[in-house]
């Protein structure tokens, strides 16, 4: 018989009475109650864990890479266009050799040529032309903004600052676009000086005057350097919808997106981006280098070697030679590795002699891995002195480690981190220096931090990432 | 100003390409080598790990596990790595177990080098000379660590001694005098570690104590004993096991008794099966202490085998032998006190029979698994996966035991409070009427 649901004395149903009824219905010794309770506890724990650990899905980033607005369709066509522009500018200079304006135009064309083709001869001639512009044009006339641009291209921060000071004294009020560019260059200088807050601030000022893809891309670089990969990708997506959507710009955006994915160990996604870049602007040697790297990471050595050798055949690029030397080292083929590293070494040394600031870091990395650690250290010190930003400090730290100075290396890395720099390679180097100093517990923490930024940082295939590790 | 406008768009567009390009080829991640030193009275053992790619590059030898390649690797290691006494004498070198292996990463050359000092010289002061790879690869270094030193350092937590690289290929090691106390402490630690890692011994103990809180009546496990008799039963069981394994451990170690480890290991796993079956249905009721002692004799042979395989000197030295045994006892007691307390508390609930049957079945399954593995050899992946699962399970069980103990203490001290909630007391956590 069911117990009464209503308490006859006070006329209401008590919770205890209801519970008693329920207990009666289920049977006093229900075998399911225990397991059900355990299951409920497990579900509560699982739900709690899910709620605590769930990460907000990053907003889907929409890139607009299809249908470029204008511009040469591929690397070949772009090279032809640059060639035409150079010929035209040379002709103008020949007609008026004593005027600075045609020379500034020619220098600018040469710099553009260097940036796309990587031809150091163009850079050398551009330097000569800018030098002539400076001697021909009375200050503050001339092309201070172009000069600052050239100085930054050659990583001459002091010269860039001086040129921007001259620009600020311009007699003719600059246009908003020019002022925006000047702010962007101030941001680049702040970035290289490891003042990331100032770099962001200057970019915001630049954006306020004239937002363009260049600004968004700089913002992406800044965010990548602080480990904010999703934010960097969002900025690149903005860049892809911005002004000047040429095939080269869009391909370069895709390339940069690939570098960001590579920095956090998403090598398959990085490869997709590199393939997109190749589709958008076929034949670009920089894309081909990244594609070769993606193939190496995927274990496609034969194809990667063929691609790199083809790049070197077209132009003796030391980056490709270094990559070949690395592949053969990893394959244990000493003779071939040495052959490529020696060829690269000769080119790097020559370039450092011509443009020590521009090529010091590359040469230091080359010397560190393939050449002389002492020379690598000297180059890395010089590079860090000129540009004390995170990447230069990490490079210096690695050369210090190779020269048996892990304590100073750790100081450099701590300074890089204090500046806001965040990358898996930073923490990997911190772990290495700490190991050498016997601080094994700290090293373990740093390894975990490196892995949190790039879960693949210590994987075997990551050592094949020569270009895009950030 | 006109010049500034020339190519402005180009600059805005392409500057970042340079910025991007400037970020190339920096901070390349490369693997390095490692050397772990183990110091003994008469020798030094060095475990070396060298990335296979760097080894091949430096030696121009193939990185493969065929006999010829391994021979080349051994020759390379003995030529490139060695010890020199402070007097300048070179130590003898023997290479063992050189293999190319991949341990969750790139392939490495791993080898164990046994180095012995010249006659009349000690094994605690030497210069390690390491030329492998560092001469040929500029950014390569080898981290040299002291992993164990029985007479000079407690535990096996590696300490960095230094590093070798191009231009500095020597690490000086000066360990000073060894101490008997450190030796004893290391032996205690080894014994405790062995029990923690020796899941078969723990499974045997667990199966054995499952029935300790119960009374044998009418041919089956019936109502539970009071707390005092339960603890007495457990104490007798563990003492019996201790007497048994101590006897064979000491005898086998000191007098060099040796039985082939294979059969001993099989009997150990069968002992777990017998204890588990006994927990399910009484097989040797009221003779548990005798069974624990008898099986303890076999487990002792297992401990002796482990000790002599770790270091024969340890098993011949009475101080380290006692230390090892003490470590086993201390760890056994620590685990048993937690597990048995939890079992005694759980025995006051209705579902203890489920706990007993469940744990006994788990132990029986493990016993069968280990028996098969030790008899016929199961696939290594399966064994590793099972070991990992057992380890995780044992950790969960230990945590559960702690929770049960805390819960038990709380429910006993707050009985009146709990008593207000019928459902709670019905759940089985009320004080047993005396």
């Amino acid at each position: 018989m069911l117990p009464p649901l209503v308490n006859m004395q006070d006329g209401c149903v008590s919770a205890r009475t209801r519970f008693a009824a329920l207990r009666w219905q289920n049977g006093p010794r229900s075998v399911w109650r225990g397991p059900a309770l355990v299951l409920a506890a497990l579900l509560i724990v699982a739900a709690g864990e899910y709620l605590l650990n769930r990460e907000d899905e990053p907003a889907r980033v929409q890139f607009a890479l299809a249908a470029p607005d204008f511009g040469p369709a591929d690397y070949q066509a772009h090279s032809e266009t640059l060639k035409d522009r150079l010929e035209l500018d040379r002709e103008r200079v020949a007609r008026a050799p004593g005027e600075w304006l045609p020379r500034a135009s020619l220098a600018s064309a040469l710099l553009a040529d260097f940036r796309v083709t990587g031809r150091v001869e163009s850079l050398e001639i551009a330097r000569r032309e800018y030098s002539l512009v400076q001697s021909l044009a009375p200050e503050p006339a001339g092309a201070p903004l172009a000069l600052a641009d050239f100085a930054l291209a050659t990583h001459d921060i002091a010269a860039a600052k001086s040129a921007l000071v001259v620009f600020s004294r311009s007699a003719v009020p600059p246009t908003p676009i020019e002022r925006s560019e000047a702010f962007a260059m101030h941001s680049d200088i702040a970035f290289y000086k490891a003042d990331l807050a100032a770099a962001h601030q200057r970019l915001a000022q630049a954006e306020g005057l004239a937002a363009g893809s260049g600004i968004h891309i700089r913002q992406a670089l800044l965010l990548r350097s602080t480990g904010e990969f999703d934010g960097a990708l969002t900025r690149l997506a903005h860049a892809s919808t911005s002004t000047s959507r040429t095939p080269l710009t869009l391909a370069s955006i895709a390339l940069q997106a690939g570098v960001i994915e590579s920095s956090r160990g998403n090598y398959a996604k990085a490869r997709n981006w590199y393939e997109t870049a190749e589709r958008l602007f076929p034949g670009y040697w920089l894309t081909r280098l990244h594609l070769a790297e993606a193939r190496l990471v995927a274990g496609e050595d034969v194809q990667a070697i063929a691609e790199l050798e083809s790049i070197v055949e077209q132009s003796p690029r030391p980056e490709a030679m270094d990559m070949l030397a690395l592949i053969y080292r990893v394959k244990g083929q000493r003779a071939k590795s040495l052959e490529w590293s020696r060829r690269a070494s000769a080119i790097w040394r020559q370039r450092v002699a011509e443009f020590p600031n521009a090529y010091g870091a590359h040469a230091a990395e080359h010397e560190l891995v393939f050449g002389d650690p002492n020379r690598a250290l000297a180059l890395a010190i010089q590079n860090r002195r000129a540009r004390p930003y995170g990447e230069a400090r990490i490079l210096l730290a690695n050369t210090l480690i190779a020269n048996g100075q892990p304590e100073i290396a750790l100081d450099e890395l701590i300074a890089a981190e204090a500046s806001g720099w965040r990358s898996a390679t930073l923490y990997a180097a911190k772990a290495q220096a700490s190991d050498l100093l016997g601080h094994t517990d700290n090293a373990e923490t740093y390894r975990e931090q490196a892995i949190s930024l790039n879960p693949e940082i210590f994987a075997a295939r990551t050592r094949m990432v020569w270009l895009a590790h950030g | 100003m006109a010049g500034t406008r020339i190519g402005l768009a180009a600059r805005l567009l392409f500057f970042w390409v340079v910025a991007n390009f400037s970020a190339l080829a920096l901070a390349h991640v490369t693997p390095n080598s490692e050397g772990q030193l183990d110091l003994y009275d008469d020798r030094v053992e060095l475990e070396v790990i060298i990335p296979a790619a760097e080894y091949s590059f430096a030696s121009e030898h193939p990185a493969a596990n065929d006999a010829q390649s391994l021979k080349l690797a051994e020759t390379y290691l003995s030529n490139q790595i060695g010890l020199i006494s402070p007097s300048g004498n070179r130590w003898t070198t023997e290479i063992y177990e050189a293999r190319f292996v991949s341990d969750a990463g790139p392939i490495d050359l791993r080898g164990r080098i046994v180095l012995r000092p010249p006659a009349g010289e000690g094994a605690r002061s030497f210069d390690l000379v390491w030329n492998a790879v560092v001469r040929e690869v500029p950014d390569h270094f080898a981290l040299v660590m002291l992993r164990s030193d029985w007479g000079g350092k407690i535990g096996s937590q590696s300490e960095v001694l230094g590093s070798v690289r191009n231009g500095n290929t020597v690490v000086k090691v000066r360990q000073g005098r060894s101490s008997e106390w450190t030796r004893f402490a290391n032996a205690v630690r080894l014994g405790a570690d062995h029990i923690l890692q020796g899941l078969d011994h723990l499974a045997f103990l667990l199966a054995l104590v499952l029935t300790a809180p119960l009374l044998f009546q009418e041919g089956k496990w019936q109502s539970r004993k009071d707390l005092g008799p339960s603890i007495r039963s457990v104490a007798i069981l563990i003492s019996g096991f201790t007497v048994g394994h101590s006897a064979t451990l000491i005898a086998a170690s000191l007098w060099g008794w040796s039985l082939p480890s294979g059969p001993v290991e099989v009997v150990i796993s069968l002992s777990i099966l017998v204890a588990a079956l006994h927990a399910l249905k009484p097989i040797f009721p009221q003779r548990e202490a005798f069974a624990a002692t008898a099986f303890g004799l076999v487990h002792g042979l297992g401990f002796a085998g482990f000790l002599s395989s770790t270091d024969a000197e340890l098993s011949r030295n009475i101080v380290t032998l006692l230390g090892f045994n003490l470590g086993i006892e201390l760890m056994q007691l620590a685990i048993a006190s937690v597990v048995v307390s939890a079992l005694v508390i759980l025995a006051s609930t209705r579902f203890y029979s489920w706990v007993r049957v469940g744990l006994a079945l788990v132990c029986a399954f493990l016993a069968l698994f280990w028996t098969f593995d030790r008899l016929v050899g199961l696939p290594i992946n399966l064994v590793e996966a099972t070991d990992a699962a057992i380890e995780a399970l044992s950790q969960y069980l230990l945590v559960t035991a702690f929770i049960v103990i805390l819960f038990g203490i709380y429910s006993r001290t707050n009985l009146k409070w709990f008593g207000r909630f019928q459902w709670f007391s019905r759940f089985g956590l009320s004080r047993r009427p005396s």
Side-chain angles (χ1 to χ4, degrees):
Chain A
M1 183 185 126
L2 277 169
L5 290 180
V6 178
N7 187 321
M8 292 309 183
Q9 280 181 355
D10 55 20
C12 63
V13 181
S14 74
R16 188 167 172 170
T17 317
R18 261 190 308 225
F19 179 76
L22 196 66
R23 195 176 70 182
W24 192 91
Q25 283 166 344
N26 288 346
R29 295 174 67 83
S30 169
V31 293
W32 297 108
R33 196 168 297 132
L37 209 61
V38 171
L39 192 67
L42 283 173
L43 283 172
I44 291 166
V45 170
E49 199 175 356
Y50 169 76
L51 289 171
L52 284 173
N53 294 337
R54 74 172 175 170
E55 289 175 7
D56 292 334
E57 273 286 303
R60 195 170 284 276
V61 182
Q62 291 291 339
F63 281 82
L65 296 171
D69 294 340
F70 62 94
D74 58 26
Y75 181 68
Q76 186 61 38
H78 197 95
S79 300
E80 294 297 327
T81 309
L82 281 170
K83 209 169 140 188
D84 292 346
R85 187 182 156 195
L86 281 170
E87 274 176 21
L88 187 65
D89 283 335
R90 281 199 182 99
E91 205 176 304
R92 281 180 182 153
V93 168
R95 284 185 186 173
E99 287 184 23
W100 63 267
L101 193 56
R103 288 194 184 277
S105 176
L106 174 61
S108 171
L110 286 161
L111 188 57
D113 182 64
F114 161 73
R115 279 175 170 159
V116 178
T117 64
R119 266 196 292 269
V120 183
E121 308 81 63
S122 296
L123 197 62
E124 180 58 49
I125 306 168
R127 177 161 65 181
R128 216 165 49 226
E129 291 300 329
Y130 275 126
S131 174
L132 283 168
V133 168
Q134 277 182 296
S135 63
L136 290 170
E139 221 176 83
L145 211 50
L147 266 172
D149 189 26
F150 175 80
L152 280 172
T154 54
H155 300 164
D156 188 345
I157 306 300
K161 272 173 96 170
S162 316
L164 287 173
V165 169
V166 174
F167 172 77
S168 68
R169 298 204 305 262
S170 301
V172 180
T175 65
I177 289 177
E178 287 166 345
R179 286 175 57 213
S180 169
E181 193 187 3
F183 275 125
M185 288 186 194
H186 277 297
S187 164
D188 296 333
I189 292 168
F191 175 72
Y192 285 135
K193 292 282 180 193
D195 188 351
L196 298 182
H200 274 294
Q201 197 187 348
R202 295 277 182 260
L203 274 186
Q205 287 171 305
E207 194 177 13
L209 287 163
S213 52
I215 305 293
H216 292 308
I217 289 160
R218 281 178 167 99
Q219 283 167 333
L221 283 171
L222 273 177
L223 290 169
R224 193 192 80 174
S225 70
T226 51
E228 295 160 79
F229 301 123
D230 288 325
L233 284 173
T234 307
R235 278 289 155 192
L236 286 180
H238 285 311
S240 73
T241 59
S242 191
T243 54
S244 311
R245 297 176 63 258
T246 68
L248 172 58
T249 310
L250 297 179
S252 301
I253 288 168
L255 206 53
Q256 188 60 30
V259 171
I260 289 166
E261 291 294 2
S262 181
S263 299
R264 59 176 168 182
N266 291 339
Y267 298 132
K269 281 187 182 174
R271 181 175 181 159
N272 285 341
W273 279 116
Y274 301 151
E275 283 167 352
T276 303
E278 175 62 13
R279 215 170 34 248
L280 288 164
F281 188 67
Y284 187 24
W285 62 276
L286 194 55
T287 308
R288 291 176 65 199
L289 272 181
H290 280 87
L291 265 174
E293 179 184 279
R295 290 192 177 113
L296 279 177
V297 172
E300 298 165 18
D301 295 7
V302 178
Q303 297 92 321
I305 290 171
E307 180 78 40
L308 290 167
E309 285 180 346
S310 148
I311 291 170
V312 173
E313 262 174 38
Q314 285 176 15
S315 176
R317 298 191 189 279
E319 304 87 357
M321 294 175 193
D322 279 341
M323 287 171 74
L324 283 162
L326 179 71
I327 300 169
Y328 286 118
R329 171 182 290 185
V330 173
K331 289 165 88 73
Q333 297 179 24
R334 190 174 175 181
K336 281 192 174 179
S337 177
L338 288 177
E339 182 193 324
W340 283 114
S341 67
R342 279 179 190 142
R343 280 183 67 181
S345 193
I347 299 173
W348 285 125
R349 285 185 186 205
Q350 191 188 342
R351 289 191 178 182
V352 168
E354 289 168 2
F355 295 97
N357 288 328
Y359 291 107
H362 301 285
E365 175 78 355
H366 167 85
E367 292 289 347
L368 176 65
V369 179
F370 302 110
D372 175 4
N374 286 322
R375 192 173 149 70
L377 180 59
L379 288 163
I381 288 171
Q382 200 181 345
N383 179 53
R384 208 279 271 128
R385 207 170 280 152
R387 298 180 300 161
Y389 72 129
E391 204 163 72
R393 286 187 187 274
I394 297 169
L395 175 64
L396 176 57
N398 283 331
T399 56
L400 284 164
I401 288 170
N403 282 278
Q405 298 175 50
E407 202 157 1
I408 309 174
L410 198 56
D411 290 343
E412 284 294 330
L413 294 165
I414 288 167
E417 194 180 4
S419 76
W421 196 272
R422 297 287 181 277
S423 72
T425 48
L426 166 75
Y427 291 111
K430 277 186 93 174
Q432 206 167 60
S434 301
D435 268 335
L436 285 167
L437 290 168
H439 307 158
T440 45
D441 288 346
N442 290 351
E444 200 47 51
T445 307
Y446 297 143
R447 265 190 283 277
E448 282 165 14
Q449 285 175 298
I451 287 169
S452 72
L453 284 166
N454 178 357
E456 295 283 322
I457 186 69
F458 299 113
R461 58 183 179 158
T462 297
R463 70 173 310 191
M464 304 313 299
V465 179
W466 181 258
L467 303 169
H469 31 64
Chain B
M1 295 304 297
T4 60
R5 293 192 181 99
I6 300 166
L8 183 64
R11 281 200 299 279
L12 279 169
L13 290 177
F14 300 138
F15 175 78
W16 65 272
V17 176
V18 177
N20 173 26
F21 194 63
S22 72
L24 303 183
L26 305 177
H28 187 62
V29 181
T30 52
N32 290 294
S33 298
E34 196 178 295
Q36 298 268 8
L37 287 163
D38 297 307
L39 268 59
Y40 299 94
D41 284 344
D42 62 339
R43 70 189 187 284
V44 168
E45 293 191 10
L46 173 64
E47 189 183 337
V48 297
I49 303 172
I50 298 174
E54 270 68 14
Y55 159 76
S56 281
F57 175 80
S59 66
E60 298 187 85
H61 295 158
N65 278 323
D66 59 276
Q68 197 186 350
S69 302
L70 291 177
K71 186 78 197 157
L72 286 169
E74 285 179 6
T75 310
Y76 179 79
L77 290 178
S78 63
N79 287 341
Q80 301 296 325
I81 299 170
L83 300 190
I84 295 174
S85 294
S87 59
N89 294 323
R90 196 177 170 86
W91 294 27
T92 60
T93 303
E94 294 166 68
I95 311 284
Y96 293 101
E97 302 160 12
R99 300 285 296 172
F100 290 94
V101 291
S102 171
D103 183 13
I107 299 171
D108 293 319
L109 166 61
R110 284 172 178 259
R112 192 160 183 82
I113 309 177
V114 178
L115 302 122
R116 293 179 194 280
E121 294 194 21
R124 302 185 60 74
S125 289
F126 51 85
D127 292 351
L128 168 67
V129 183
W130 181 307
N131 290 313
V133 179
V134 294
R135 280 187 175 173
E136 293 82 8
V137 181
D139 62 338
H140 193 87
F141 65 81
L143 199 60
V144 178
M145 287 179 278
L146 178 66
R147 182 167 49 196
S148 69
D149 174 6
W150 271 82
K153 166 177 156 321
I154 297 174
S156 54
Q157 177 78 30
S158 293
E159 289 172 10
V160 175
L161 292 175
S163 62
V164 290
R165 58 190 162 74
N166 194 355
N168 178 19
T169 58
V170 177
V171 171
K172 288 184 186 299
V173 181
R174 304 287 183 267
Q175 281 303 100
R177 292 171 67 84
S178 64
S179 129
E180 281 304 313
W181 161 246
T182 311
R183 211 179 285 274
F184 178 74
N186 271 319
V188 171
R189 192 189 167 96
L190 183 69
D193 281 353
H194 181 60
I195 279 292
L196 264 185
Q197 287 156 15
L199 293 169
D200 47 358
H201 303 302
L202 289 178
F204 175 74
L205 270 178
L206 176 65
L208 211 57
V209 298
L210 279 175
T211 58
L214 300 177
L215 279 172
F216 171 72
Q217 284 174 341
E218 296 166 11
K220 54 185 179 178
W221 300 118
Q222 289 277 4
S223 59
R224 72 179 184 88
K225 295 174 194 168
D226 280 334
L227 186 65
S230 297
I231 290 173
R232 221 171 9 255
S233 296
V234 170
I236 292 168
L237 280 177
I238 291 179
S239 301
F241 183 62
T242 302
V243 167
H245 75 65
S246 300
T248 42
L249 168 63
I250 292 170
S253 300
L254 287 182
W255 291 295
W257 295 358
S258 67
L259 274 176
S261 67
V264 170
E265 293 298 317
V266 170
V267 176
I268 287 173
S269 48
L270 285 175
S271 72
I272 303 165
L273 183 63
V274 172
L277 292 176
H278 177 66
L280 288 170
K281 194 173 166 58
I283 301 172
F284 41 85
Q286 291 157 339
R287 289 183 182 78
E288 285 89 357
F290 175 76
T293 312
F295 283 126
L297 293 169
V298 186
H299 283 249
L301 287 175
F303 294 146
F306 165 77
L307 195 58
S308 63
S309 70
T310 304
D311 184 12
E313 273 170 42
L314 300 176
S315 58
R316 285 196 292 268
N317 182 318
I318 188 71
V319 175
T320 50
L321 194 56
L322 287 174
F324 180 72
N325 209 22
L326 182 64
I328 289 174
E329 300 319 325
L330 289 175
M331 186 52 72
Q332 229 169 241
L333 279 175
I335 293 172
S337 60
V338 174
V339 172
V340 169
S341 303
L343 291 180
V344 168
I345 291 166
L346 285 171
S348 67
T349 66
R350 282 199 316 276
F351 42 74
Y352 183 65
S353 57
W354 290 99
V355 173
R356 173 176 57 85
V357 170
L359 289 175
L361 285 173
V362 169
C363 290
F365 167 78
L366 292 177
L368 286 171
F369 181 83
W370 283 323
T371 307
F372 274 113
D373 181 41
R374 289 164 188 186
L375 279 174
V376 295
L378 293 170
I380 187 75
N381 292 345
L382 179 65
V383 174
E384 281 176 0
T386 311
D387 280 352
I390 298 166
E391 211 174 307
L393 180 68
S394 56
Q395 284 167 4
Y396 280 120
L397 283 178
L398 211 57
V399 171
T400 310
F402 270 116
I403 293 169
V404 166
I405 291 167
L406 290 174
F407 214 34
I409 293 166
Y410 193 69
S411 66
R412 288 181 82 84
T413 52
N414 295 275
L415 190 63
K416 279 186 184 173
W417 189 81
F418 278 121
R420 287 190 216 156
F421 300 92
Q422 284 196 358
W423 62 273
F424 208 91
S425 57
R426 286 184 65 257
F427 194 62
L429 288 158
S430 60
R431 190 202 298 268
R432 180 178 161 271
S434 54

